[in-house]
Amino acid sequence: AQKVTQAQTEISVVEKEDVTLDCVYETRDTTYYLFWYKQPPSGELVFLIRRNSFDEQNEISGRYSWNFQKSTSSFNFTITASQVVDSAVYFCALHYNQGGKLIFGQGTELSVKP
Amino acid sequence: GAVVSQHPSWVICKSGTSVKIECRSLDFQATTMFWYRQFPKQSLMLMATSNEGSKATYEQGVEKDKFLINHASLTLSTLTVTSAHPEDSSFYICSARVGSGTRLPGANVLTFGAGSRLTVL
């Protein structure tokens, strides 16, 4: 079965703290993609990153970094020096097989307080 | 970049009426679009896959007669909620995949519309 689990429902941090959002996935496919999306209060989904199953290299983009580990089926997302504007719901998602379907995790609501 | 436009962004209707939501790919062609539904504080659940020129493929548990999908062109898919009831109130989001053959940034990445918030009274 294909499944994405984001165990952290809500996280609250103070500005400038680092925060890691966890994502664990399940799939039988050997070829798949993992995504992170940000959903601010406006509701629009903002694409953050896509990683394919053959590329385990960690990635850094500004204050954002991602740690992909196939051995533990995890694709965690870290925000360094968090800011109030980072407050949003973050979704991890799995794309497998053909067709473009995305399976979303339950989402983690991040609240960054000043 | 690839842009998906959704309209209307919000709609309020009376119970029993039908509501149509449009999803347009503005600068690319999308043979396949996807419709998701999101209830408050919940995740996005795929409702159906919309295929240009053919019937949509619905996920298990989604009533195809209630949620009519029409993908009449390479840039437009519509979702019609027929005989809407309060329990259909939700946030509906469409997405389209930018094909690998295009030079647009984000090829093969799903681009989402801004969503349509439906409230049925």
Side-chain angles (χ1 to χ4, degrees):
Chain A
Q2 324 288 343
K3 187 179 178 181
V4 176
T5 302
Q6 293 178 256
Q8 304 148 307
T9 306
E10 297 179 7
I11 299 177
S12 182
V13 299
V14 177
E15 206 170 19
K16 297 185 182 177
E17 285 185 18
D18 298 346
V19 59
T20 295
L21 283 60
D22 298 334
C23 172
V24 175
Y25 64 93
E26 295 177 30
T27 179
R28 294 177 184 167
D29 285 22
T30 55
T31 301
Y32 52 89
Y33 292 90
L34 294 164
F35 295 79
W36 275 96
Y37 286 89
K38 174 182 180 180
Q39 188 178 41
S42 62
E44 185 172 1
L45 281 172
V46 178
F47 166 78
L48 296 179
I49 190 171
R50 180 188 75 161
R51 178 49 49 87
N52 75 56
S53 53
F54 299 107
D55 181 5
E56 287 192 71
Q57 200 168 16
N58 291 330
E59 184 159 337
I60 298 174
S61 176
R63 296 184 297 107
Y64 295 168
S65 62
W66 291 269
N67 184 352
F68 176 30
Q69 293 198 356
K70 286 181 74 172
S71 60
T72 56
S73 296
S74 65
F75 187 42
N76 297 337
F77 172 32
T78 297
I79 301 175
T80 303
S82 59
Q83 300 176 2
V84 173
V85 293
D86 296 327
S87 297
V89 180
Y90 291 86
F91 289 97
C92 179
L94 168 70
H95 171 285
Y96 64 98
N97 209 344
Q98 309 96 341
K101 291 183 184 182
L102 278 185
I103 304 294
F104 284 86
Q106 300 89 325
T108 297
E109 183 172 4
L110 174 64
S111 176
V112 181
K113 301 187 187 305
Chain B
V3 177
V4 172
S5 173
Q6 218 173 312
H7 178 81
S9 55
W10 59 270
V11 58
I12 301 173
C13 70
K14 292 182 179 179
S15 186
T17 61
S18 294
V19 175
K20 180 185 286 187
I21 301 170
E22 294 186 348
C23 179
R24 294 181 185 273
S25 56
L26 295 187
D27 45 5
F28 66 100
Q29 294 181 336
T31 55
T32 303
M33 291 185 177
F34 304 89
W35 287 95
Y36 291 82
R37 179 168 55 183
Q38 185 182 30
F39 291 109
K41 298 287 187 179
Q42 294 189 25
S43 186
L44 286 81
M45 299 301 295
L46 179 65
M47 298 176 65
T49 302
S50 170
N51 303 296
E52 187 269 334
S54 65
K55 291 182 179 180
T57 304
Y58 291 82
E59 296 298 302
Q60 193 172 8
V62 177
E63 300 175 60
K64 62 180 181 181
D65 294 331
K66 181 168 186 62
F67 299 99
L68 300 180
I69 292 173
N70 187 323
H71 195 150
S73 77
L74 286 171
T75 59
L76 174 64
S77 174
T78 60
L79 167 68
T80 301
V81 183
T82 62
S83 186
H85 290 284
E87 57 265 30
D88 298 322
S89 298
S90 186
F91 191 54
Y92 293 87
I93 310 175
C94 72
S95 69
R97 184 167 62 99
V98 180
S100 57
T102 179
R103 292 181 181 177
L104 285 172
N108 256 333
V109 170
L110 276 184
T111 299
F112 286 82
S116 300
R117 195 166 301 281
L118 170 64
T119 301
V120 184
L121 302 176

